[in-house]
Amino acid sequence: DAGVIQSPRHEVTEMGQEVTLRCKPISGHNSLFWYRQTMMRGLELLIYFNNNVPIDDSGMPEDRFSAKMPNASFSTLKIQPSEPRDSAVYFCASSSPGHEKLFFGSGTQLSVL
Amino acid sequence: GENVEQHPSTLSVQEGDSAVIKCTYSDSASNYFPWYKQELGKRPQLIIDIRSNVGEKKDQRIAVTLNKTAKHFSLHITETQPEDSAVYFCAANILTGGGNKLTFGTGTQLKVEL
């Protein structure tokens, strides 16, 4: 298995633009997580899904952030409109049923100018 | 919700020495405590974990200890090597049927000097 796959690896955009980050979890994993990593705040859980259903989105900072998981093999995190303070590394992670171990993707380095 | 505090934020040791990183958690219901290692520019990867029904766990040069009463747990690395240099994150989790929500500490930058 190729592991958790995220795209793009790097994204540079201008303030006000829409940004869409993509994630493909490991096949067979039924939980998917979106984390944001910054120097100041460390690893923050934004939202997680279980069996494609959002379970906890309390970490989503503002209404500008939204996440979807239309099927078991794909999820998106959208920021609209983007702001410079959204600049961070966004990680997607997945885990298999009954197991706690998280497998992280390579992350998306987002820079909002 | 769960709050995890981690200390120190940076740690520098000489090669061959031991390193200890400590974490505390707030929710007494937490029952799973993993440690992740993140090398520069890479993804976090699980290195060891412990459940609340165990007080200590070892895997070669690394070990974790858990004190449920005090709500703290620690990572111990012995005979440190340059390749141990990385950021280490502790985390706490409440395992429920509805999901698996990990709360991470703020990380410890470990530097092993030659």
Side-chain angles (χ1 to χ4, degrees), chain A residues 33 35 37 43 45 48 50 55-56 58 91 95 99-102 104-106, chain B residues 32 36 38 41-44 46 51 89 93 95 97-102 104:
Chain A
F33 306 80
Y35 282 89
Q37 186 174 36
L43 273 166
L45 177 64
Y48 79 96
N50 201 38
I55 301 299
D56 186 340
S58 60
F91 284 103
S95 65
H99 291 83
E100 309 90 353
K101 181 178 179 179
L102 290 190
F104 283 83
S106 298
Chain B
Y32 173 67
Y36 282 77
Q38 186 178 27
K42 302 219 175 148
R43 72 192 78 188
L46 179 72
R51 295 175 185 267
F89 292 94
N93 188 27
L95 299 176
N100 176 27
K101 182 177 178 179
L102 271 180
F104 284 88

PDB file of all heavy atoms in Angstrom, chain A residues 33 35 37 43 45 48 50 55-56 58 91 95 99-102 104-106, chain B residues 32 36 38 41-44 46 51 89 93 95 97-102 104:
ATOM      1  N   PHE A  33      -8.529  11.744   9.552  1.00  0.00           N
ATOM      2  CA  PHE A  33      -8.304  12.916  10.399  1.00  0.00           C
ATOM      3  C   PHE A  33      -7.594  14.003   9.590  1.00  0.00           C
ATOM      4  O   PHE A  33      -6.706  13.710   8.791  1.00  0.00           O
ATOM      5  CB  PHE A  33      -7.400  12.548  11.587  1.00  0.00           C
ATOM      6  CG  PHE A  33      -7.890  11.370  12.389  1.00  0.00           C
ATOM      7  CD1 PHE A  33      -7.674  10.080  11.940  1.00  0.00           C
ATOM      8  CD2 PHE A  33      -8.549  11.558  13.582  1.00  0.00           C
ATOM      9  CE1 PHE A  33      -8.116   8.984  12.673  1.00  0.00           C
ATOM     10  CE2 PHE A  33      -8.998  10.473  14.327  1.00  0.00           C
ATOM     11  CZ  PHE A  33      -8.777   9.186  13.862  1.00  0.00           C
ATOM     12  N   TYR A  35      -5.269  17.306  10.390  1.00  0.00           N
ATOM     13  CA  TYR A  35      -4.526  18.060  11.392  1.00  0.00           C
ATOM     14  C   TYR A  35      -3.847  19.252  10.728  1.00  0.00           C
ATOM     15  O   TYR A  35      -3.487  19.217   9.555  1.00  0.00           O
ATOM     16  CB  TYR A  35      -3.424  17.195  12.025  1.00  0.00           C
ATOM     17  CG  TYR A  35      -3.896  16.209  13.060  1.00  0.00           C
ATOM     18  CD1 TYR A  35      -4.301  14.927  12.709  1.00  0.00           C
ATOM     19  CD2 TYR A  35      -3.918  16.559  14.411  1.00  0.00           C
ATOM     20  CE1 TYR A  35      -4.723  14.019  13.674  1.00  0.00           C
ATOM     21  CE2 TYR A  35      -4.344  15.652  15.385  1.00  0.00           C
ATOM     22  CZ  TYR A  35      -4.735  14.390  14.996  1.00  0.00           C
ATOM     23  OH  TYR A  35      -5.150  13.499  15.955  1.00  0.00           O
ATOM     24  N   GLN A  37      -0.502  21.820  11.415  1.00  0.00           N
ATOM     25  CA  GLN A  37       0.712  21.966  12.215  1.00  0.00           C
ATOM     26  C   GLN A  37       1.356  23.318  11.985  1.00  0.00           C
ATOM     27  O   GLN A  37       1.664  23.687  10.856  1.00  0.00           O
ATOM     28  CB  GLN A  37       1.723  20.857  11.901  1.00  0.00           C
ATOM     29  CG  GLN A  37       2.947  20.905  12.820  1.00  0.00           C
ATOM     30  CD  GLN A  37       3.878  19.725  12.605  1.00  0.00           C
ATOM     31  OE1 GLN A  37       4.064  19.242  11.493  1.00  0.00           O
ATOM     32  NE2 GLN A  37       4.477  19.238  13.683  1.00  0.00           N
ATOM     33  N   LEU A  43       0.452  20.433  16.636  1.00  0.00           N
ATOM     34  CA  LEU A  43      -0.477  19.631  15.844  1.00  0.00           C
ATOM     35  C   LEU A  43      -1.887  19.792  16.401  1.00  0.00           C
ATOM     36  O   LEU A  43      -2.185  19.357  17.504  1.00  0.00           O
ATOM     37  CB  LEU A  43      -0.084  18.155  15.900  1.00  0.00           C
ATOM     38  CG  LEU A  43       0.920  17.650  14.890  1.00  0.00           C
ATOM     39  CD1 LEU A  43       1.445  16.289  15.301  1.00  0.00           C
ATOM     40  CD2 LEU A  43       0.307  17.563  13.492  1.00  0.00           C
ATOM     41  N   LEU A  45      -5.955  19.029  15.870  1.00  0.00           N
ATOM     42  CA  LEU A  45      -6.963  18.272  15.161  1.00  0.00           C
ATOM     43  C   LEU A  45      -8.064  19.211  14.686  1.00  0.00           C
ATOM     44  O   LEU A  45      -8.671  19.914  15.483  1.00  0.00           O
ATOM     45  CB  LEU A  45      -7.557  17.187  16.063  1.00  0.00           C
ATOM     46  CG  LEU A  45      -8.679  16.354  15.459  1.00  0.00           C
ATOM     47  CD1 LEU A  45      -8.178  15.545  14.267  1.00  0.00           C
ATOM     48  CD2 LEU A  45      -9.283  15.425  16.505  1.00  0.00           C
ATOM     49  N   TYR A  48     -12.432  15.000  12.307  1.00  0.00           N
ATOM     50  CA  TYR A  48     -12.221  13.620  11.926  1.00  0.00           C
ATOM     51  C   TYR A  48     -13.531  12.948  11.549  1.00  0.00           C
ATOM     52  O   TYR A  48     -14.607  13.340  12.004  1.00  0.00           O
ATOM     53  CB  TYR A  48     -11.436  12.843  12.984  1.00  0.00           C
ATOM     54  CG  TYR A  48     -12.179  12.374  14.199  1.00  0.00           C
ATOM     55  CD1 TYR A  48     -12.706  11.079  14.279  1.00  0.00           C
ATOM     56  CD2 TYR A  48     -12.290  13.182  15.319  1.00  0.00           C
ATOM     57  CE1 TYR A  48     -13.335  10.637  15.418  1.00  0.00           C
ATOM     58  CE2 TYR A  48     -12.925  12.742  16.462  1.00  0.00           C
ATOM     59  CZ  TYR A  48     -13.436  11.461  16.517  1.00  0.00           C
ATOM     60  OH  TYR A  48     -14.059  11.024  17.665  1.00  0.00           O
ATOM     61  N   ASN A  50     -15.506   9.136  10.778  1.00  0.00           N
ATOM     62  CA  ASN A  50     -15.557   7.697  11.026  1.00  0.00           C
ATOM     63  C   ASN A  50     -16.589   7.123  10.056  1.00  0.00           C
ATOM     64  O   ASN A  50     -17.761   7.555  10.069  1.00  0.00           O
ATOM     65  CB  ASN A  50     -15.944   7.418  12.475  1.00  0.00           C
ATOM     66  CG  ASN A  50     -15.539   6.031  12.915  1.00  0.00           C
ATOM     67  OD1 ASN A  50     -14.482   5.535  12.549  1.00  0.00           O
ATOM     68  ND2 ASN A  50     -16.379   5.394  13.717  1.00  0.00           N
ATOM     69  N   ILE A  55     -17.365  13.181  12.773  1.00  0.00           N
ATOM     70  CA  ILE A  55     -17.653  12.875  14.173  1.00  0.00           C
ATOM     71  C   ILE A  55     -17.432  14.099  15.060  1.00  0.00           C
ATOM     72  O   ILE A  55     -18.211  14.380  15.963  1.00  0.00           O
ATOM     73  CB  ILE A  55     -16.789  11.707  14.674  1.00  0.00           C
ATOM     74  CG1 ILE A  55     -17.038  10.455  13.829  1.00  0.00           C
ATOM     75  CG2 ILE A  55     -17.060  11.439  16.150  1.00  0.00           C
ATOM     76  CD1 ILE A  55     -18.463   9.951  13.854  1.00  0.00           C
ATOM     77  N   ASP A  56     -16.358  14.805  14.799  1.00  0.00           N
ATOM     78  CA  ASP A  56     -16.007  15.937  15.648  1.00  0.00           C
ATOM     79  C   ASP A  56     -15.326  17.002  14.792  1.00  0.00           C
ATOM     80  O   ASP A  56     -14.237  16.765  14.271  1.00  0.00           O
ATOM     81  CB  ASP A  56     -15.062  15.473  16.761  1.00  0.00           C
ATOM     82  CG  ASP A  56     -14.767  16.565  17.789  1.00  0.00           C
ATOM     83  OD1 ASP A  56     -14.966  17.765  17.485  1.00  0.00           O
ATOM     84  OD2 ASP A  56     -14.314  16.232  18.895  1.00  0.00           O
ATOM     85  N   SER A  58     -14.996  20.200  16.030  1.00  0.00           N
ATOM     86  CA  SER A  58     -14.816  21.311  16.966  1.00  0.00           C
ATOM     87  C   SER A  58     -13.488  22.030  16.779  1.00  0.00           C
ATOM     88  O   SER A  58     -13.330  23.161  17.230  1.00  0.00           O
ATOM     89  CB  SER A  58     -14.931  20.811  18.408  1.00  0.00           C
ATOM     90  OG  SER A  58     -13.952  19.829  18.680  1.00  0.00           O
ATOM     91  N   PHE A  91      -1.888  18.043   7.638  1.00  0.00           N
ATOM     92  CA  PHE A  91      -1.706  16.598   7.542  1.00  0.00           C
ATOM     93  C   PHE A  91      -3.061  15.893   7.540  1.00  0.00           C
ATOM     94  O   PHE A  91      -3.969  16.261   8.291  1.00  0.00           O
ATOM     95  CB  PHE A  91      -0.899  16.065   8.731  1.00  0.00           C
ATOM     96  CG  PHE A  91       0.571  16.343   8.670  1.00  0.00           C
ATOM     97  CD1 PHE A  91       1.136  17.350   9.427  1.00  0.00           C
ATOM     98  CD2 PHE A  91       1.395  15.574   7.857  1.00  0.00           C
ATOM     99  CE1 PHE A  91       2.499  17.600   9.387  1.00  0.00           C
ATOM    100  CE2 PHE A  91       2.769  15.820   7.815  1.00  0.00           C
ATOM    101  CZ  PHE A  91       3.311  16.836   8.579  1.00  0.00           C
ATOM    102  N   SER A  95      -6.762   5.646  10.197  1.00  0.00           N
ATOM    103  CA  SER A  95      -6.553   4.482  11.053  1.00  0.00           C
ATOM    104  C   SER A  95      -7.579   3.414  10.694  1.00  0.00           C
ATOM    105  O   SER A  95      -8.633   3.707  10.132  1.00  0.00           O
ATOM    106  CB  SER A  95      -6.649   4.848  12.533  1.00  0.00           C
ATOM    107  OG  SER A  95      -7.955   5.275  12.878  1.00  0.00           O
ATOM    108  N   HIS A  99      -8.202  -0.131  15.682  1.00  0.00           N
ATOM    109  CA  HIS A  99      -6.795   0.164  15.947  1.00  0.00           C
ATOM    110  C   HIS A  99      -6.602   1.658  16.142  1.00  0.00           C
ATOM    111  O   HIS A  99      -7.197   2.466  15.454  1.00  0.00           O
ATOM    112  CB  HIS A  99      -5.919  -0.325  14.796  1.00  0.00           C
ATOM    113  CG  HIS A  99      -5.856  -1.814  14.698  1.00  0.00           C
ATOM    114  ND1 HIS A  99      -6.829  -2.549  14.064  1.00  0.00           N
ATOM    115  CD2 HIS A  99      -4.968  -2.707  15.171  1.00  0.00           C
ATOM    116  CE1 HIS A  99      -6.532  -3.823  14.142  1.00  0.00           C
ATOM    117  NE2 HIS A  99      -5.401  -3.955  14.804  1.00  0.00           N
ATOM    118  N   GLU A 100      -5.717   1.995  17.089  1.00  0.00           N
ATOM    119  CA  GLU A 100      -5.536   3.399  17.408  1.00  0.00           C
ATOM    120  C   GLU A 100      -4.415   4.062  16.631  1.00  0.00           C
ATOM    121  O   GLU A 100      -4.330   5.278  16.586  1.00  0.00           O
ATOM    122  CB  GLU A 100      -5.220   3.560  18.914  1.00  0.00           C
ATOM    123  CG  GLU A 100      -6.192   2.865  19.831  1.00  0.00           C
ATOM    124  CD  GLU A 100      -5.774   1.425  20.133  1.00  0.00           C
ATOM    125  OE1 GLU A 100      -4.804   0.916  19.520  1.00  0.00           O
ATOM    126  OE2 GLU A 100      -6.430   0.814  20.989  1.00  0.00           O
ATOM    127  N   LYS A 101      -3.546   3.293  16.035  1.00  0.00           N
ATOM    128  CA  LYS A 101      -2.376   3.857  15.373  1.00  0.00           C
ATOM    129  C   LYS A 101      -2.791   4.713  14.184  1.00  0.00           C
ATOM    130  O   LYS A 101      -3.527   4.262  13.307  1.00  0.00           O
ATOM    131  CB  LYS A 101      -1.439   2.750  14.912  1.00  0.00           C
ATOM    132  CG  LYS A 101      -0.184   3.276  14.221  1.00  0.00           C
ATOM    133  CD  LYS A 101       0.750   2.131  13.817  1.00  0.00           C
ATOM    134  CE  LYS A 101       1.988   2.658  13.095  1.00  0.00           C
ATOM    135  NZ  LYS A 101       2.921   1.562  12.714  1.00  0.00           N
ATOM    136  N   LEU A 102      -2.287   5.938  14.165  1.00  0.00           N
ATOM    137  CA  LEU A 102      -2.538   6.840  13.045  1.00  0.00           C
ATOM    138  C   LEU A 102      -1.398   6.750  12.040  1.00  0.00           C
ATOM    139  O   LEU A 102      -0.227   6.759  12.420  1.00  0.00           O
ATOM    140  CB  LEU A 102      -2.641   8.288  13.522  1.00  0.00           C
ATOM    141  CG  LEU A 102      -3.854   8.708  14.339  1.00  0.00           C
ATOM    142  CD1 LEU A 102      -3.874  10.226  14.493  1.00  0.00           C
ATOM    143  CD2 LEU A 102      -5.135   8.238  13.705  1.00  0.00           C
ATOM    144  N   PHE A 104       0.088   8.900   9.024  1.00  0.00           N
ATOM    145  CA  PHE A 104       0.014  10.252   8.471  1.00  0.00           C
ATOM    146  C   PHE A 104       0.436  10.265   7.006  1.00  0.00           C
ATOM    147  O   PHE A 104       1.312   9.506   6.579  1.00  0.00           O
ATOM    148  CB  PHE A 104       0.933  11.202   9.250  1.00  0.00           C
ATOM    149  CG  PHE A 104       0.373  11.635  10.587  1.00  0.00           C
ATOM    150  CD1 PHE A 104       0.511  10.834  11.699  1.00  0.00           C
ATOM    151  CD2 PHE A 104      -0.270  12.854  10.710  1.00  0.00           C
ATOM    152  CE1 PHE A 104       0.005  11.232  12.936  1.00  0.00           C
ATOM    153  CE2 PHE A 104      -0.775  13.263  11.938  1.00  0.00           C
ATOM    154  CZ  PHE A 104      -0.634  12.446  13.046  1.00  0.00           C
ATOM    155  N   GLY A 105      -0.181  11.181   6.268  1.00  0.00           N
ATOM    156  CA  GLY A 105       0.302  11.484   4.929  1.00  0.00           C
ATOM    157  C   GLY A 105       1.516  12.390   5.009  1.00  0.00           C
ATOM    158  O   GLY A 105       1.958  12.765   6.099  1.00  0.00           O
ATOM    159  N   SER A 106       2.042  12.744   3.847  1.00  0.00           N
ATOM    160  CA  SER A 106       3.250  13.576   3.789  1.00  0.00           C
ATOM    161  C   SER A 106       2.975  15.044   4.063  1.00  0.00           C
ATOM    162  O   SER A 106       3.898  15.826   4.216  1.00  0.00           O
ATOM    163  CB  SER A 106       3.907  13.446   2.416  1.00  0.00           C
ATOM    164  OG  SER A 106       4.302  12.107   2.193  1.00  0.00           O
TER     165      SER A 106
ATOM    166  N   TYR B  32      -5.142   5.722  26.204  1.00  0.00           N
ATOM    167  CA  TYR B  32      -4.153   5.315  25.201  1.00  0.00           C
ATOM    168  C   TYR B  32      -3.193   6.476  24.992  1.00  0.00           C
ATOM    169  O   TYR B  32      -3.622   7.619  24.796  1.00  0.00           O
ATOM    170  CB  TYR B  32      -4.870   4.968  23.889  1.00  0.00           C
ATOM    171  CG  TYR B  32      -3.946   4.689  22.731  1.00  0.00           C
ATOM    172  CD1 TYR B  32      -3.125   3.561  22.726  1.00  0.00           C
ATOM    173  CD2 TYR B  32      -3.903   5.542  21.638  1.00  0.00           C
ATOM    174  CE1 TYR B  32      -2.280   3.312  21.656  1.00  0.00           C
ATOM    175  CE2 TYR B  32      -3.066   5.290  20.575  1.00  0.00           C
ATOM    176  CZ  TYR B  32      -2.258   4.184  20.584  1.00  0.00           C
ATOM    177  OH  TYR B  32      -1.427   3.927  19.527  1.00  0.00           O
ATOM    178  N   TYR B  36       4.962   9.980  18.973  1.00  0.00           N
ATOM    179  CA  TYR B  36       5.292  10.090  17.561  1.00  0.00           C
ATOM    180  C   TYR B  36       6.614  10.837  17.403  1.00  0.00           C
ATOM    181  O   TYR B  36       6.907  11.765  18.144  1.00  0.00           O
ATOM    182  CB  TYR B  36       4.193  10.839  16.798  1.00  0.00           C
ATOM    183  CG  TYR B  36       2.976   9.995  16.508  1.00  0.00           C
ATOM    184  CD1 TYR B  36       2.041   9.728  17.495  1.00  0.00           C
ATOM    185  CD2 TYR B  36       2.779   9.447  15.241  1.00  0.00           C
ATOM    186  CE1 TYR B  36       0.936   8.936  17.245  1.00  0.00           C
ATOM    187  CE2 TYR B  36       1.669   8.654  14.976  1.00  0.00           C
ATOM    188  CZ  TYR B  36       0.757   8.407  15.986  1.00  0.00           C
ATOM    189  OH  TYR B  36      -0.342   7.615  15.725  1.00  0.00           O
ATOM    190  N   GLN B  38       8.894  12.977  14.602  1.00  0.00           N
ATOM    191  CA  GLN B  38       8.812  13.682  13.325  1.00  0.00           C
ATOM    192  C   GLN B  38      10.169  14.253  12.970  1.00  0.00           C
ATOM    193  O   GLN B  38      10.671  15.173  13.623  1.00  0.00           O
ATOM    194  CB  GLN B  38       7.767  14.805  13.388  1.00  0.00           C
ATOM    195  CG  GLN B  38       7.537  15.495  12.042  1.00  0.00           C
ATOM    196  CD  GLN B  38       6.466  16.569  12.110  1.00  0.00           C
ATOM    197  OE1 GLN B  38       6.224  17.163  13.165  1.00  0.00           O
ATOM    198  NE2 GLN B  38       5.807  16.826  10.994  1.00  0.00           N
ATOM    199  N   GLY B  41      10.842  18.036   8.076  1.00  0.00           N
ATOM    200  CA  GLY B  41      10.206  17.991   6.765  1.00  0.00           C
ATOM    201  C   GLY B  41       9.451  16.713   6.466  1.00  0.00           C
ATOM    202  O   GLY B  41       9.013  16.505   5.322  1.00  0.00           O
ATOM    203  N   LYS B  42       9.296  15.865   7.490  1.00  0.00           N
ATOM    204  CA  LYS B  42       8.631  14.587   7.234  1.00  0.00           C
ATOM    205  C   LYS B  42       7.354  14.461   8.072  1.00  0.00           C
ATOM    206  O   LYS B  42       7.014  15.331   8.854  1.00  0.00           O
ATOM    207  CB  LYS B  42       9.589  13.446   7.546  1.00  0.00           C
ATOM    208  CG  LYS B  42      10.883  13.515   6.734  1.00  0.00           C
ATOM    209  CD  LYS B  42      11.341  12.168   6.300  1.00  0.00           C
ATOM    210  CE  LYS B  42      12.560  12.278   5.390  1.00  0.00           C
ATOM    211  NZ  LYS B  42      13.442  11.097   5.561  1.00  0.00           N
ATOM    212  N   ARG B  43       6.688  13.362   7.895  1.00  0.00           N
ATOM    213  CA  ARG B  43       5.441  13.133   8.603  1.00  0.00           C
ATOM    214  C   ARG B  43       5.701  12.566   9.991  1.00  0.00           C
ATOM    215  O   ARG B  43       6.709  11.886  10.196  1.00  0.00           O
ATOM    216  CB  ARG B  43       4.577  12.160   7.808  1.00  0.00           C
ATOM    217  CG  ARG B  43       5.073  10.718   7.832  1.00  0.00           C
ATOM    218  CD  ARG B  43       4.379   9.846   6.808  1.00  0.00           C
ATOM    219  NE  ARG B  43       4.906  10.068   5.481  1.00  0.00           N
ATOM    220  CZ  ARG B  43       4.368   9.540   4.385  1.00  0.00           C
ATOM    221  NH1 ARG B  43       3.279   8.796   4.464  1.00  0.00           N
ATOM    222  NH2 ARG B  43       4.903   9.775   3.195  1.00  0.00           N
ATOM    223  N   PRO B  44       4.791  12.774  10.940  1.00  0.00           N
ATOM    224  CA  PRO B  44       4.925  12.109  12.251  1.00  0.00           C
ATOM    225  C   PRO B  44       4.743  10.605  12.083  1.00  0.00           C
ATOM    226  O   PRO B  44       3.875  10.162  11.326  1.00  0.00           O
ATOM    227  CB  PRO B  44       3.779  12.718  13.070  1.00  0.00           C
ATOM    228  CG  PRO B  44       3.390  13.967  12.361  1.00  0.00           C
ATOM    229  CD  PRO B  44       3.654  13.700  10.912  1.00  0.00           C
ATOM    230  N   LEU B  46       4.578   6.870  14.415  1.00  0.00           N
ATOM    231  CA  LEU B  46       4.459   6.248  15.728  1.00  0.00           C
ATOM    232  C   LEU B  46       5.732   5.474  16.054  1.00  0.00           C
ATOM    233  O   LEU B  46       6.219   4.688  15.242  1.00  0.00           O
ATOM    234  CB  LEU B  46       3.265   5.296  15.751  1.00  0.00           C
ATOM    235  CG  LEU B  46       3.015   4.556  17.052  1.00  0.00           C
ATOM    236  CD1 LEU B  46       2.488   5.516  18.110  1.00  0.00           C
ATOM    237  CD2 LEU B  46       2.028   3.400  16.855  1.00  0.00           C
ATOM    238  N   ARG B  51      -0.974   1.559  26.814  1.00  0.00           N
ATOM    239  CA  ARG B  51      -2.367   1.646  27.215  1.00  0.00           C
ATOM    240  C   ARG B  51      -2.446   1.838  28.722  1.00  0.00           C
ATOM    241  O   ARG B  51      -1.502   1.540  29.446  1.00  0.00           O
ATOM    242  CB  ARG B  51      -3.110   0.381  26.806  1.00  0.00           C
ATOM    243  CG  ARG B  51      -3.196   0.198  25.306  1.00  0.00           C
ATOM    244  CD  ARG B  51      -3.844  -1.130  24.954  1.00  0.00           C
ATOM    245  NE  ARG B  51      -3.824  -1.371  23.526  1.00  0.00           N
ATOM    246  CZ  ARG B  51      -4.811  -1.037  22.713  1.00  0.00           C
ATOM    247  NH1 ARG B  51      -5.884  -0.447  23.201  1.00  0.00           N
ATOM    248  NH2 ARG B  51      -4.713  -1.290  21.415  1.00  0.00           N
ATOM    249  N   PHE B  89       6.439  13.976  19.780  1.00  0.00           N
ATOM    250  CA  PHE B  89       5.124  14.398  20.257  1.00  0.00           C
ATOM    251  C   PHE B  89       4.507  13.291  21.104  1.00  0.00           C
ATOM    252  O   PHE B  89       4.477  12.126  20.690  1.00  0.00           O
ATOM    253  CB  PHE B  89       4.174  14.669  19.089  1.00  0.00           C
ATOM    254  CG  PHE B  89       4.537  15.853  18.252  1.00  0.00           C
ATOM    255  CD1 PHE B  89       5.309  15.706  17.111  1.00  0.00           C
ATOM    256  CD2 PHE B  89       4.101  17.127  18.590  1.00  0.00           C
ATOM    257  CE1 PHE B  89       5.642  16.798  16.318  1.00  0.00           C
ATOM    258  CE2 PHE B  89       4.426  18.220  17.806  1.00  0.00           C
ATOM    259  CZ  PHE B  89       5.197  18.057  16.668  1.00  0.00           C
ATOM    260  N   ASN B  93      -5.512   9.802  24.252  1.00  0.00           N
ATOM    261  CA  ASN B  93      -6.686   9.432  23.481  1.00  0.00           C
ATOM    262  C   ASN B  93      -7.693   8.718  24.366  1.00  0.00           C
ATOM    263  O   ASN B  93      -7.317   7.935  25.231  1.00  0.00           O
ATOM    264  CB  ASN B  93      -6.260   8.497  22.349  1.00  0.00           C
ATOM    265  CG  ASN B  93      -7.374   8.203  21.388  1.00  0.00           C
ATOM    266  OD1 ASN B  93      -8.274   8.998  21.235  1.00  0.00           O
ATOM    267  ND2 ASN B  93      -7.313   7.063  20.748  1.00  0.00           N
ATOM    268  N   LEU B  95     -10.432   6.035  23.859  1.00  0.00           N
ATOM    269  CA  LEU B  95     -10.925   5.090  22.870  1.00  0.00           C
ATOM    270  C   LEU B  95     -12.413   4.868  23.096  1.00  0.00           C
ATOM    271  O   LEU B  95     -12.835   4.446  24.153  1.00  0.00           O
ATOM    272  CB  LEU B  95     -10.170   3.765  22.983  1.00  0.00           C
ATOM    273  CG  LEU B  95      -8.671   3.840  22.750  1.00  0.00           C
ATOM    274  CD1 LEU B  95      -8.029   2.484  22.983  1.00  0.00           C
ATOM    275  CD2 LEU B  95      -8.361   4.327  21.352  1.00  0.00           C
ATOM    276  N   GLY B  97     -16.306   3.815  20.902  1.00  0.00           N
ATOM    277  CA  GLY B  97     -16.829   3.183  19.698  1.00  0.00           C
ATOM    278  C   GLY B  97     -17.030   4.161  18.565  1.00  0.00           C
ATOM    279  O   GLY B  97     -17.088   3.779  17.407  1.00  0.00           O
ATOM    280  N   GLY B  98     -17.137   5.437  18.909  1.00  0.00           N
ATOM    281  CA  GLY B  98     -17.417   6.436  17.889  1.00  0.00           C
ATOM    282  C   GLY B  98     -16.206   7.015  17.224  1.00  0.00           C
ATOM    283  O   GLY B  98     -16.304   7.811  16.306  1.00  0.00           O
ATOM    284  N   GLY B  99     -15.020   6.640  17.691  1.00  0.00           N
ATOM    285  CA  GLY B  99     -13.854   7.224  17.032  1.00  0.00           C
ATOM    286  C   GLY B  99     -12.623   7.212  17.892  1.00  0.00           C
ATOM    287  O   GLY B  99     -12.583   6.615  18.960  1.00  0.00           O
ATOM    288  N   ASN B 100     -11.635   7.926  17.461  1.00  0.00           N
ATOM    289  CA  ASN B 100     -10.284   7.797  17.977  1.00  0.00           C
ATOM    290  C   ASN B 100      -9.660   9.180  17.940  1.00  0.00           C
ATOM    291  O   ASN B 100      -8.962   9.517  17.008  1.00  0.00           O
ATOM    292  CB  ASN B 100      -9.539   6.822  17.057  1.00  0.00           C
ATOM    293  CG  ASN B 100      -8.095   6.659  17.426  1.00  0.00           C
ATOM    294  OD1 ASN B 100      -7.712   6.820  18.565  1.00  0.00           O
ATOM    295  ND2 ASN B 100      -7.282   6.335  16.442  1.00  0.00           N
ATOM    296  N   LYS B 101      -9.936  10.011  18.922  1.00  0.00           N
ATOM    297  CA  LYS B 101      -9.532  11.411  18.878  1.00  0.00           C
ATOM    298  C   LYS B 101      -8.258  11.628  19.679  1.00  0.00           C
ATOM    299  O   LYS B 101      -8.278  11.645  20.908  1.00  0.00           O
ATOM    300  CB  LYS B 101     -10.647  12.286  19.438  1.00  0.00           C
ATOM    301  CG  LYS B 101     -10.348  13.769  19.392  1.00  0.00           C
ATOM    302  CD  LYS B 101     -11.535  14.567  19.906  1.00  0.00           C
ATOM    303  CE  LYS B 101     -11.232  16.057  19.915  1.00  0.00           C
ATOM    304  NZ  LYS B 101     -12.391  16.833  20.386  1.00  0.00           N
ATOM    305  N   LEU B 102      -7.133  11.794  18.981  1.00  0.00           N
ATOM    306  CA  LEU B 102      -5.840  12.033  19.618  1.00  0.00           C
ATOM    307  C   LEU B 102      -5.630  13.520  19.851  1.00  0.00           C
ATOM    308  O   LEU B 102      -5.804  14.315  18.939  1.00  0.00           O
ATOM    309  CB  LEU B 102      -4.710  11.527  18.738  1.00  0.00           C
ATOM    310  CG  LEU B 102      -4.235  10.084  18.883  1.00  0.00           C
ATOM    311  CD1 LEU B 102      -3.102   9.825  17.905  1.00  0.00           C
ATOM    312  CD2 LEU B 102      -3.780   9.809  20.300  1.00  0.00           C
ATOM    313  N   PHE B 104      -2.573  16.030  20.846  1.00  0.00           N
ATOM    314  CA  PHE B 104      -1.114  16.010  20.897  1.00  0.00           C
ATOM    315  C   PHE B 104      -0.564  17.070  21.842  1.00  0.00           C
ATOM    316  O   PHE B 104      -1.167  18.138  22.035  1.00  0.00           O
ATOM    317  CB  PHE B 104      -0.541  16.267  19.501  1.00  0.00           C
ATOM    318  CG  PHE B 104      -0.617  15.084  18.575  1.00  0.00           C
ATOM    319  CD1 PHE B 104      -1.738  14.859  17.803  1.00  0.00           C
ATOM    320  CD2 PHE B 104       0.448  14.192  18.484  1.00  0.00           C
ATOM    321  CE1 PHE B 104      -1.805  13.760  16.954  1.00  0.00           C
ATOM    322  CE2 PHE B 104       0.392  13.092  17.640  1.00  0.00           C
ATOM    323  CZ  PHE B 104      -0.741  12.881  16.871  1.00  0.00           C
TER     324      PHE B 104
END
